[in-house]
Amino acid sequence: MKIQAKEILYAVKDLNLTELQEITPNAIKNQLKLSNQEWQSGYSKTFNAMRVGSSTCLQIGQKYRNVFEKVYHGCYYLTDYGETIIDSLEDMTDKVETAQSL
């Protein structure tokens, strides 16, 4: 589940959201190029565990909790903590380019 949480975070980073822009699970699913079945088979539960006040017993690790705050059904904002996590992620494009140049 931690791997899915990281994938979700990188997908949000790749969406290049402006401050206070709404995030939808569908946008994340599309960014990850997942089918509805793939999203529902685990990513949806992981995303829900990453929300503020989530009561799920899914074990994703404390680092990945309280990243998203629900605005209304189907729409979320990044929390301040979520923004900090997203900002701390390494740029995957830079990592790929560096690896290819070696």
Side-chain angles (χ1 to χ4, degrees), residues 13-77:
K13 182 178 178 90
D14 290 344
L15 288 171
N16 293 317
L17 301 171
T18 59
E19 191 172 336
L20 295 180
Q21 187 172 350
E22 295 173 354
I23 302 165
T24 65
N26 195 47
I28 296 169
K29 176 186 72 100
N30 291 339
Q31 186 68 29
L32 291 171
K33 297 178 174 67
L34 298 172
S35 67
N36 285 335
Q37 183 178 0
E38 290 170 315
W39 177 259
Q40 293 299 327
S41 70
Y43 286 86
S44 177
K45 292 176 186 172
T46 301
F47 177 82
N48 286 330
M50 297 171 76
R51 296 181 312 166
V52 170
S54 175
S55 61
T56 182
C57 60
L58 190 66
Q59 299 298 317
I60 62 168
Q62 190 60 37
K63 176 180 179 180
Y64 303 107
R65 295 199 179 276
N66 301 316
V67 174
F68 302 104
E69 186 165 9
K70 188 173 184 176
V71 181
Y72 55 89
H73 181 72
C75 289
Y76 302 84
Y77 288 139

Side-chain angles (χ1 to χ4, degrees), residues 1-10 46 49-52 58-68 78-90:
M1 297 303 157
K2 289 182 183 179
I3 291 172
Q4 289 178 346
K6 283 185 181 180
E7 289 180 66
I8 289 170
L9 291 173
Y10 275 107
T46 301
M50 297 171 76
R51 296 181 312 166
V52 170
L58 190 66
Q59 299 298 317
I60 62 168
Q62 190 60 37
K63 176 180 179 180
Y64 303 107
R65 295 199 179 276
N66 301 316
V67 174
F68 302 104
L78 279 172
T79 62
D80 290 341
Y81 174 73
E83 288 180 22
T84 301
I85 293 292
I86 296 293
D87 290 343
S88 72
L89 294 174
E90 294 182 50

